Structures are given as structure tokens and as C-alpha cells.
Amino acid sequence: MPAAPVTIRGHQGMVVMMRFLRREGMFCRTCALASFRDMQADTMVMGWWGPLSVLITPFTLLGNLSALSGIRRIPEPATAGFRPPLDPGRPVFRRPAGIIALIPLCLVGLVVVAIPLLVIIGLVVGPSHSGDTTDNSVDHPTLTVGSCARNTTEWPAQDLRPEPCDSPAAELRVYAPEKNSCAAGDYLAYLEYSKDGTSLCLHPLKGHAVQHR
């Protein structure tokens, strides 16, 4: 009966502990296939139960596929041995253990696909996001001391737009605060309207008094 050296590995996760299993020896094709299916099915069910085992189990399963290719090269038994060979049983994915193992296998596959996909999305979205930041800066024009502006939204929110001081649309005159505070009844502009981040005050022009809320 033809035989060849075969090594089949298994893994068992036990939350904080783990076991590395190995079955090796001179096997005929039938016995080697039976050992492969048993070890592979057991690993597919018991190999995931631990943080490190989740990473180790896929490599163990893939390594056994390499062993399976060697098993298939062993010739079929031509004559019976001195004892009957092991029963190979059903293929792995026709066993209950193999069907249950599809759940963690699908999750691992999803993670493997999702990580590079998220990286690609981040690379694609990143430049457009930075572009959005530039657009936001355009929405906040720079005001200077002595200039005039109008607020296009309801106070206390601010959406200031520069206006010529002789324009009927001008509502506010911009001035620098004294002692870091604005006069009573005036407004403190958001810092993004200042060129260098310093505080600016807004004084309502005559005929454009704004009610505080």
C-alpha cells in the first residue's frame, strides 16, 4: 500500500490560552485524507476562541490546504493493508462543523476585504475633504478695522459680508476693541473674520440697530 509522510496541523483557542496541534506520520491516501478532514473541521470550529487565535487559525487552515495537495498526490491503495484504513468521512464543508465555521470564515474574509477598501476610500475622499476646508475659509471673508459689513443671518449667529460703508446695505462698522472688550450694545465678531485671529468689534450703524437675543 503506497504511503508518504504527511503533517497536518490544528489549532484550538481557549480565550486566554491556546493549543497547537499536529498529526504527522506515514499515511496512505485514505488515512491521510481522513486525518486532514478531522483536523481541519475541528480547527474551523475550535480555532477562533481567543484574540490571537483569530489571527493564527486562518494561517493554520491555509497551511493544511498545502498538505492536502500533497495527500492527493499519494496513489490510491491497490491492495488492502494489514488493517483497514481510516474512514475519511464527509468532506469538510458537508459536515456540521464545516457549515458552522462558515460564519467566522465569512467575518474574517469581510475584514480582509474591508480594510484595503477603507484605505482606498480614505485616499479618495481625503483630497476632497481638504478642498471642503478651503471652501469654508472662503465663506468667512476677512474684515479690517474701519470697514463695514452686514450680517446675512439672524443674530446671535454670524454670517458677515463686507459692504462699502456708503452702501445702504452696510449695517455694521468694524473697529478694534479697547481693553479687549467691545462697547455696550456692540458685537464681538467671530475670530475667523480676522486676518490674524485678533478680536474685532461690530458697531451697528445708525438706522441699523440690531436687537440682542
Side-chain angles (χ1 to χ4, degrees):
M1 178 179 293
V6 176
T7 300
I8 303 168
R9 302 182 186 278
H11 185 78
Q12 183 177 3
M14 296 178 285
V15 186
V16 296
M17 300 177 63
M18 64 183 73
R19 292 177 61 195
F20 293 89
L21 308 174
R22 183 173 64 182
R23 188 178 298 175
E24 59 182 343
M26 295 293 295
F27 291 94
C28 68
R29 180 188 177 97
T30 305
C31 292
L33 185 59
S35 298
F36 164 80
R37 289 178 176 177
D38 289 343
M39 189 75 81
Q40 193 82 334
D42 290 343
T43 300
M44 291 172 71
V45 173
M46 299 185 296
W48 310 97
W49 308 109
L52 293 178
S53 296
V54 171
L55 303 176
I56 296 171
T57 296
F59 291 99
T60 303
L61 297 175
L62 291 174
N64 284 340
L65 294 180
S66 176
L68 178 62
S69 65
I71 293 171
R72 288 173 174 168
R73 290 195 294 268
I74 302 175
E76 291 281 358
T79 58
F82 65 92
R83 64 179 182 180
L86 298 175
D87 180 10
R90 293 182 177 183
V92 174
F93 286 106
R94 292 184 183 178
R95 303 183 180 197
I99 297 173
I100 295 173
L102 288 175
I103 298 175
L105 285 174
C106 290
L107 292 176
V108 171
L110 182 62
V111 171
V112 170
V113 173
I115 291 176
L117 183 61
L118 291 175
V119 171
I120 294 173
I121 293 175
L123 293 175
V124 173
V125 175
S128 64
H129 179 73
S130 62
D132 291 340
T133 302
T134 303
D135 293 341
N136 289 338
S137 65
V138 174
D139 290 339
H140 296 89
T142 300
L143 301 179
T144 58
V145 174
S147 65
C148 295
R150 63 185 174 91
N151 187 20
T152 61
T153 189
E154 294 290 333
W155 295 94
Q158 295 184 15
D159 185 11
L160 303 177
R161 293 290 181 266
E163 290 288 347
C165 290
D166 57 355
S167 170
E171 300 175 347
L172 306 157
R173 184 179 294 276
V174 183
Y175 69 94
E178 297 181 2
K179 298 181 180 180
N180 296 324
S181 63
C182 300
D186 292 352
Y187 297 91
L188 182 66
Y190 293 163
L191 293 179
E192 51 261 44
Y193 291 104
S194 172
K195 181 178 180 180
D196 53 3
T198 57
S199 299
L200 293 174
C201 293
L202 305 171
H203 176 69
L205 296 176
K206 189 174 182 179
H208 291 282
V210 183
Q211 297 294 326
H212 287 275
R213 296 190 178 187

